[in-house]
Amino acid sequence: MIRFERKKTEKSEKAVESLLKAKNAHSSYNTPDVIAALREVFHGKCYICENKEITSYQIEHLYPHHGNDDLKYDWNNLFLSCAHCNNTKLAKYDPILDCTKEDIDAVIAFRKTGYFGIEEKLIFQELDSREETHNTAELLRDIYYGSTPQKILEATILRKRLRKELSAFKEYVREYYEADGEDKDDLRCLIERELEDSSAFTAFKRWLIKDHKDSFPEFANILPGICHPKSALH
């Protein structure tokens, strides 16, 4: 999870209008305008797991509405989620951090340890003592490891995708470290794109850099949040 900026755009304005009409008509908030605007805000990826290879988009309410129409149709309460994350979260972890209001990767450290998948472990370290931070970290642990037989299988697939993304990113960083001239410039641009909000699994990639900020200050300086040194680039 990272911070997403909920900007006022043409798509978001259409979404708000669509939600108002849906609320007045007591119809579904799942409209084409709302989906289009949420895809824009969250760069087409799930706001929780940050997977971009989503086959089932769902609209998730950050704060469960429990039949409250004000929450049900509130644009600021709607988030883009994959089915795995939405069906895991439900109302079990309320409240969690609002990723449109703060940098989640500044209050939770995202790390993967282990070589070649052997003794692999994903760590979500809470960096403050708020209830929202704890609930969010607990949610992430269940997302990436599963809480039922079906979700365990889904989590295994999710971890494979994460592993593939991080392996490629680490290779870019290694090549950058050894390169010079135009090759180094090209790799720097590539790494910077991988650290942007629109990248898949951005929080993990950012923490790989944060944990090696002394070696890569040119990248660490562009990242939001704080840096806690702890080796994780294996």
Side-chain angles (χ1 to χ4, degrees), residues 24-49:
N24 291 334
H26 300 288
S27 59
S28 175
Y29 52 80
N30 191 345
T31 71
D33 286 336
V34 172
I35 287 291
L38 288 175
R39 281 179 53 83
E40 179 181 56
V41 172
F42 297 101
H43 306 288
K45 64 180 178 178
C46 174
Y47 85 101
I48 298 176
C49 70

PDB file of all heavy atoms in Angstrom, residues 24-49:
ATOM      1  N   ASN A  24     -29.850   8.980  -5.245  1.00  0.00           N
ATOM      2  CA  ASN A  24     -31.242   9.453  -5.312  1.00  0.00           C
ATOM      3  C   ASN A  24     -32.175   8.383  -5.864  1.00  0.00           C
ATOM      4  O   ASN A  24     -33.352   8.337  -5.504  1.00  0.00           O
ATOM      5  CB  ASN A  24     -31.319  10.712  -6.179  1.00  0.00           C
ATOM      6  CG  ASN A  24     -30.648  11.904  -5.521  1.00  0.00           C
ATOM      7  OD1 ASN A  24     -30.545  11.981  -4.299  1.00  0.00           O
ATOM      8  ND2 ASN A  24     -30.182  12.862  -6.324  1.00  0.00           N
ATOM      9  N   ALA A  25     -31.643   7.532  -6.748  1.00  0.00           N
ATOM     10  CA  ALA A  25     -32.458   6.478  -7.351  1.00  0.00           C
ATOM     11  C   ALA A  25     -32.375   5.168  -6.579  1.00  0.00           C
ATOM     12  O   ALA A  25     -33.026   4.175  -6.952  1.00  0.00           O
ATOM     13  CB  ALA A  25     -32.010   6.244  -8.796  1.00  0.00           C
ATOM     14  N   HIS A  26     -31.583   5.149  -5.507  1.00  0.00           N
ATOM     15  CA  HIS A  26     -31.357   3.934  -4.709  1.00  0.00           C
ATOM     16  C   HIS A  26     -30.878   2.780  -5.604  1.00  0.00           C
ATOM     17  O   HIS A  26     -31.292   1.633  -5.434  1.00  0.00           O
ATOM     18  CB  HIS A  26     -32.635   3.531  -3.966  1.00  0.00           C
ATOM     19  CG  HIS A  26     -33.129   4.578  -3.020  1.00  0.00           C
ATOM     20  ND1 HIS A  26     -32.499   4.887  -1.835  1.00  0.00           N
ATOM     21  CD2 HIS A  26     -34.198   5.424  -3.114  1.00  0.00           C
ATOM     22  CE1 HIS A  26     -33.145   5.858  -1.216  1.00  0.00           C
ATOM     23  NE2 HIS A  26     -34.182   6.211  -1.968  1.00  0.00           N
ATOM     24  N   SER A  27     -29.997   3.112  -6.553  1.00  0.00           N
ATOM     25  CA  SER A  27     -29.451   2.109  -7.463  1.00  0.00           C
ATOM     26  C   SER A  27     -27.990   1.839  -7.136  1.00  0.00           C
ATOM     27  O   SER A  27     -27.443   2.379  -6.165  1.00  0.00           O
ATOM     28  CB  SER A  27     -29.604   2.578  -8.916  1.00  0.00           C
ATOM     29  OG  SER A  27     -28.939   3.808  -9.126  1.00  0.00           O
ATOM     30  N   SER A  28     -27.328   1.043  -7.948  1.00  0.00           N
ATOM     31  CA  SER A  28     -25.955   0.622  -7.667  1.00  0.00           C
ATOM     32  C   SER A  28     -24.956   1.764  -7.826  1.00  0.00           C
ATOM     33  O   SER A  28     -25.068   2.571  -8.758  1.00  0.00           O
ATOM     34  CB  SER A  28     -25.563  -0.529  -8.597  1.00  0.00           C
ATOM     35  OG  SER A  28     -24.205  -0.872  -8.433  1.00  0.00           O
ATOM     36  N   TYR A  29     -23.978   1.794  -6.923  1.00  0.00           N
ATOM     37  CA  TYR A  29     -22.872   2.755  -7.032  1.00  0.00           C
ATOM     38  C   TYR A  29     -21.826   2.281  -8.038  1.00  0.00           C
ATOM     39  O   TYR A  29     -20.924   3.015  -8.408  1.00  0.00           O
ATOM     40  CB  TYR A  29     -22.205   2.966  -5.667  1.00  0.00           C
ATOM     41  CG  TYR A  29     -21.808   1.682  -4.982  1.00  0.00           C
ATOM     42  CD1 TYR A  29     -20.648   1.003  -5.328  1.00  0.00           C
ATOM     43  CD2 TYR A  29     -22.621   1.127  -3.985  1.00  0.00           C
ATOM     44  CE1 TYR A  29     -20.299  -0.187  -4.712  1.00  0.00           C
ATOM     45  CE2 TYR A  29     -22.278  -0.064  -3.361  1.00  0.00           C
ATOM     46  CZ  TYR A  29     -21.121  -0.717  -3.731  1.00  0.00           C
ATOM     47  OH  TYR A  29     -20.784  -1.899  -3.130  1.00  0.00           O
ATOM     48  N   ASN A  30     -21.957   1.041  -8.478  1.00  0.00           N
ATOM     49  CA  ASN A  30     -21.006   0.449  -9.421  1.00  0.00           C
ATOM     50  C   ASN A  30     -21.387   0.853 -10.840  1.00  0.00           C
ATOM     51  O   ASN A  30     -22.006   0.093 -11.590  1.00  0.00           O
ATOM     52  CB  ASN A  30     -21.010  -1.072  -9.269  1.00  0.00           C
ATOM     53  CG  ASN A  30     -19.863  -1.734 -10.006  1.00  0.00           C
ATOM     54  OD1 ASN A  30     -19.219  -1.116 -10.857  1.00  0.00           O
ATOM     55  ND2 ASN A  30     -19.607  -2.991  -9.689  1.00  0.00           N
ATOM     56  N   THR A  31     -21.011   2.066 -11.223  1.00  0.00           N
ATOM     57  CA  THR A  31     -21.350   2.579 -12.545  1.00  0.00           C
ATOM     58  C   THR A  31     -20.079   2.698 -13.386  1.00  0.00           C
ATOM     59  O   THR A  31     -18.966   2.753 -12.843  1.00  0.00           O
ATOM     60  CB  THR A  31     -22.011   3.969 -12.440  1.00  0.00           C
ATOM     61  OG1 THR A  31     -21.014   4.940 -12.048  1.00  0.00           O
ATOM     62  CG2 THR A  31     -23.153   3.964 -11.421  1.00  0.00           C
ATOM     63  N   PRO A  32     -20.209   2.768 -14.706  1.00  0.00           N
ATOM     64  CA  PRO A  32     -19.031   2.917 -15.569  1.00  0.00           C
ATOM     65  C   PRO A  32     -18.204   4.154 -15.225  1.00  0.00           C
ATOM     66  O   PRO A  32     -16.957   4.102 -15.261  1.00  0.00           O
ATOM     67  CB  PRO A  32     -19.633   3.023 -16.976  1.00  0.00           C
ATOM     68  CG  PRO A  32     -20.913   2.263 -16.888  1.00  0.00           C
ATOM     69  CD  PRO A  32     -21.443   2.550 -15.504  1.00  0.00           C
ATOM     70  N   ASP A  33     -18.869   5.270 -14.879  1.00  0.00           N
ATOM     71  CA  ASP A  33     -18.140   6.496 -14.538  1.00  0.00           C
ATOM     72  C   ASP A  33     -17.334   6.322 -13.256  1.00  0.00           C
ATOM     73  O   ASP A  33     -16.196   6.818 -13.154  1.00  0.00           O
ATOM     74  CB  ASP A  33     -19.116   7.667 -14.384  1.00  0.00           C
ATOM     75  CG  ASP A  33     -19.643   8.173 -15.715  1.00  0.00           C
ATOM     76  OD1 ASP A  33     -18.957   7.972 -16.733  1.00  0.00           O
ATOM     77  OD2 ASP A  33     -20.739   8.762 -15.731  1.00  0.00           O
ATOM     78  N   VAL A  34     -17.893   5.624 -12.293  1.00  0.00           N
ATOM     79  CA  VAL A  34     -17.189   5.403 -11.022  1.00  0.00           C
ATOM     80  C   VAL A  34     -15.986   4.490 -11.235  1.00  0.00           C
ATOM     81  O   VAL A  34     -14.880   4.764 -10.743  1.00  0.00           O
ATOM     82  CB  VAL A  34     -18.149   4.806  -9.964  1.00  0.00           C
ATOM     83  CG1 VAL A  34     -17.370   4.388  -8.716  1.00  0.00           C
ATOM     84  CG2 VAL A  34     -19.226   5.816  -9.591  1.00  0.00           C
ATOM     85  N   ILE A  35     -16.170   3.418 -11.992  1.00  0.00           N
ATOM     86  CA  ILE A  35     -15.064   2.497 -12.272  1.00  0.00           C
ATOM     87  C   ILE A  35     -13.942   3.215 -13.013  1.00  0.00           C
ATOM     88  O   ILE A  35     -12.748   3.070 -12.685  1.00  0.00           O
ATOM     89  CB  ILE A  35     -15.549   1.288 -13.088  1.00  0.00           C
ATOM     90  CG1 ILE A  35     -16.372   0.337 -12.210  1.00  0.00           C
ATOM     91  CG2 ILE A  35     -14.372   0.534 -13.702  1.00  0.00           C
ATOM     92  CD1 ILE A  35     -15.550  -0.388 -11.158  1.00  0.00           C
ATOM     93  N   ALA A  36     -14.304   4.015 -14.011  1.00  0.00           N
ATOM     94  CA  ALA A  36     -13.290   4.731 -14.795  1.00  0.00           C
ATOM     95  C   ALA A  36     -12.496   5.688 -13.926  1.00  0.00           C
ATOM     96  O   ALA A  36     -11.271   5.806 -14.045  1.00  0.00           O
ATOM     97  CB  ALA A  36     -13.960   5.485 -15.938  1.00  0.00           C
ATOM     98  N   ALA A  37     -13.187   6.392 -13.021  1.00  0.00           N
ATOM     99  CA  ALA A  37     -12.510   7.352 -12.146  1.00  0.00           C
ATOM    100  C   ALA A  37     -11.620   6.647 -11.126  1.00  0.00           C
ATOM    101  O   ALA A  37     -10.510   7.104 -10.824  1.00  0.00           O
ATOM    102  CB  ALA A  37     -13.539   8.224 -11.436  1.00  0.00           C
ATOM    103  N   LEU A  38     -12.073   5.519 -10.601  1.00  0.00           N
ATOM    104  CA  LEU A  38     -11.264   4.777  -9.639  1.00  0.00           C
ATOM    105  C   LEU A  38     -10.026   4.187 -10.302  1.00  0.00           C
ATOM    106  O   LEU A  38      -8.945   4.159  -9.709  1.00  0.00           O
ATOM    107  CB  LEU A  38     -12.096   3.663  -8.997  1.00  0.00           C
ATOM    108  CG  LEU A  38     -13.164   4.110  -7.995  1.00  0.00           C
ATOM    109  CD1 LEU A  38     -13.999   2.923  -7.524  1.00  0.00           C
ATOM    110  CD2 LEU A  38     -12.537   4.827  -6.802  1.00  0.00           C
ATOM    111  N   ARG A  39     -10.162   3.728 -11.542  1.00  0.00           N
ATOM    112  CA  ARG A  39      -8.988   3.228 -12.271  1.00  0.00           C
ATOM    113  C   ARG A  39      -7.962   4.340 -12.459  1.00  0.00           C
ATOM    114  O   ARG A  39      -6.757   4.091 -12.416  1.00  0.00           O
ATOM    115  CB  ARG A  39      -9.416   2.662 -13.628  1.00  0.00           C
ATOM    116  CG  ARG A  39     -10.014   1.267 -13.551  1.00  0.00           C
ATOM    117  CD  ARG A  39     -10.453   0.768 -14.918  1.00  0.00           C
ATOM    118  NE  ARG A  39      -9.381   0.852 -15.890  1.00  0.00           N
ATOM    119  CZ  ARG A  39      -8.420  -0.063 -16.040  1.00  0.00           C
ATOM    120  NH1 ARG A  39      -8.421  -1.132 -15.264  1.00  0.00           N
ATOM    121  NH2 ARG A  39      -7.482   0.086 -16.952  1.00  0.00           N
ATOM    122  N   GLU A  40      -8.450   5.553 -12.645  1.00  0.00           N
ATOM    123  CA  GLU A  40      -7.549   6.695 -12.802  1.00  0.00           C
ATOM    124  C   GLU A  40      -6.833   7.005 -11.491  1.00  0.00           C
ATOM    125  O   GLU A  40      -5.609   7.180 -11.469  1.00  0.00           O
ATOM    126  CB  GLU A  40      -8.344   7.917 -13.261  1.00  0.00           C
ATOM    127  CG  GLU A  40      -7.499   9.177 -13.438  1.00  0.00           C
ATOM    128  CD  GLU A  40      -8.336  10.369 -13.876  1.00  0.00           C
ATOM    129  OE1 GLU A  40      -9.321  10.698 -13.171  1.00  0.00           O
ATOM    130  OE2 GLU A  40      -8.001  10.974 -14.907  1.00  0.00           O
ATOM    131  N   VAL A  41      -7.567   7.061 -10.401  1.00  0.00           N
ATOM    132  CA  VAL A  41      -6.983   7.389  -9.092  1.00  0.00           C
ATOM    133  C   VAL A  41      -5.946   6.358  -8.676  1.00  0.00           C
ATOM    134  O   VAL A  41      -4.837   6.705  -8.239  1.00  0.00           O
ATOM    135  CB  VAL A  41      -8.079   7.485  -8.012  1.00  0.00           C
ATOM    136  CG1 VAL A  41      -7.452   7.618  -6.623  1.00  0.00           C
ATOM    137  CG2 VAL A  41      -9.001   8.668  -8.278  1.00  0.00           C
ATOM    138  N   PHE A  42      -6.284   5.067  -8.837  1.00  0.00           N
ATOM    139  CA  PHE A  42      -5.435   3.993  -8.321  1.00  0.00           C
ATOM    140  C   PHE A  42      -4.569   3.346  -9.402  1.00  0.00           C
ATOM    141  O   PHE A  42      -4.029   2.261  -9.201  1.00  0.00           O
ATOM    142  CB  PHE A  42      -6.305   2.954  -7.606  1.00  0.00           C
ATOM    143  CG  PHE A  42      -7.015   3.522  -6.407  1.00  0.00           C
ATOM    144  CD1 PHE A  42      -8.350   3.870  -6.482  1.00  0.00           C
ATOM    145  CD2 PHE A  42      -6.334   3.762  -5.231  1.00  0.00           C
ATOM    146  CE1 PHE A  42      -9.004   4.425  -5.390  1.00  0.00           C
ATOM    147  CE2 PHE A  42      -6.969   4.315  -4.125  1.00  0.00           C
ATOM    148  CZ  PHE A  42      -8.310   4.652  -4.206  1.00  0.00           C
ATOM    149  N   HIS A  43      -4.440   4.032 -10.543  1.00  0.00           N
ATOM    150  CA  HIS A  43      -3.542   3.591 -11.616  1.00  0.00           C
ATOM    151  C   HIS A  43      -3.834   2.168 -12.068  1.00  0.00           C
ATOM    152  O   HIS A  43      -2.916   1.417 -12.437  1.00  0.00           O
ATOM    153  CB  HIS A  43      -2.085   3.718 -11.172  1.00  0.00           C
ATOM    154  CG  HIS A  43      -1.714   5.083 -10.691  1.00  0.00           C
ATOM    155  ND1 HIS A  43      -1.570   6.170 -11.537  1.00  0.00           N
ATOM    156  CD2 HIS A  43      -1.488   5.561  -9.432  1.00  0.00           C
ATOM    157  CE1 HIS A  43      -1.266   7.240 -10.823  1.00  0.00           C
ATOM    158  NE2 HIS A  43      -1.211   6.909  -9.559  1.00  0.00           N
ATOM    159  N   GLY A  44      -5.096   1.777 -12.001  1.00  0.00           N
ATOM    160  CA  GLY A  44      -5.480   0.465 -12.485  1.00  0.00           C
ATOM    161  C   GLY A  44      -5.003  -0.696 -11.645  1.00  0.00           C
ATOM    162  O   GLY A  44      -4.969  -1.840 -12.122  1.00  0.00           O
ATOM    163  N   LYS A  45      -4.616  -0.444 -10.405  1.00  0.00           N
ATOM    164  CA  LYS A  45      -4.171  -1.540  -9.545  1.00  0.00           C
ATOM    165  C   LYS A  45      -4.963  -1.556  -8.241  1.00  0.00           C
ATOM    166  O   LYS A  45      -5.581  -0.552  -7.849  1.00  0.00           O
ATOM    167  CB  LYS A  45      -2.672  -1.442  -9.250  1.00  0.00           C
ATOM    168  CG  LYS A  45      -2.234  -0.207  -8.465  1.00  0.00           C
ATOM    169  CD  LYS A  45      -0.721  -0.234  -8.241  1.00  0.00           C
ATOM    170  CE  LYS A  45      -0.235   0.999  -7.502  1.00  0.00           C
ATOM    171  NZ  LYS A  45       1.226   0.953  -7.254  1.00  0.00           N
ATOM    172  N   CYS A  46      -4.956  -2.691  -7.580  1.00  0.00           N
ATOM    173  CA  CYS A  46      -5.642  -2.823  -6.294  1.00  0.00           C
ATOM    174  C   CYS A  46      -4.948  -1.941  -5.266  1.00  0.00           C
ATOM    175  O   CYS A  46      -3.722  -1.974  -5.135  1.00  0.00           O
ATOM    176  CB  CYS A  46      -5.606  -4.279  -5.850  1.00  0.00           C
ATOM    177  SG  CYS A  46      -6.264  -4.559  -4.176  1.00  0.00           S
ATOM    178  N   TYR A  47      -5.730  -1.174  -4.517  1.00  0.00           N
ATOM    179  CA  TYR A  47      -5.126  -0.236  -3.575  1.00  0.00           C
ATOM    180  C   TYR A  47      -4.482  -0.936  -2.379  1.00  0.00           C
ATOM    181  O   TYR A  47      -3.623  -0.349  -1.709  1.00  0.00           O
ATOM    182  CB  TYR A  47      -6.166   0.784  -3.096  1.00  0.00           C
ATOM    183  CG  TYR A  47      -7.028   0.359  -1.921  1.00  0.00           C
ATOM    184  CD1 TYR A  47      -6.756   0.803  -0.624  1.00  0.00           C
ATOM    185  CD2 TYR A  47      -8.139  -0.457  -2.099  1.00  0.00           C
ATOM    186  CE1 TYR A  47      -7.556   0.437   0.451  1.00  0.00           C
ATOM    187  CE2 TYR A  47      -8.945  -0.825  -1.043  1.00  0.00           C
ATOM    188  CZ  TYR A  47      -8.652  -0.380   0.239  1.00  0.00           C
ATOM    189  OH  TYR A  47      -9.453  -0.750   1.292  1.00  0.00           O
ATOM    190  N   ILE A  48      -4.839  -2.171  -2.124  1.00  0.00           N
ATOM    191  CA  ILE A  48      -4.284  -2.887  -0.959  1.00  0.00           C
ATOM    192  C   ILE A  48      -3.022  -3.664  -1.345  1.00  0.00           C
ATOM    193  O   ILE A  48      -1.938  -3.418  -0.819  1.00  0.00           O
ATOM    194  CB  ILE A  48      -5.325  -3.829  -0.339  1.00  0.00           C
ATOM    195  CG1 ILE A  48      -6.534  -3.033   0.180  1.00  0.00           C
ATOM    196  CG2 ILE A  48      -4.695  -4.612   0.828  1.00  0.00           C
ATOM    197  CD1 ILE A  48      -7.655  -3.897   0.726  1.00  0.00           C
ATOM    198  N   CYS A  49      -3.144  -4.605  -2.272  1.00  0.00           N
ATOM    199  CA  CYS A  49      -1.990  -5.454  -2.613  1.00  0.00           C
ATOM    200  C   CYS A  49      -1.111  -4.844  -3.695  1.00  0.00           C
ATOM    201  O   CYS A  49       0.028  -5.270  -3.874  1.00  0.00           O
ATOM    202  CB  CYS A  49      -2.454  -6.841  -3.028  1.00  0.00           C
ATOM    203  SG  CYS A  49      -3.306  -6.906  -4.636  1.00  0.00           S
TER     204      CYS A  49
END
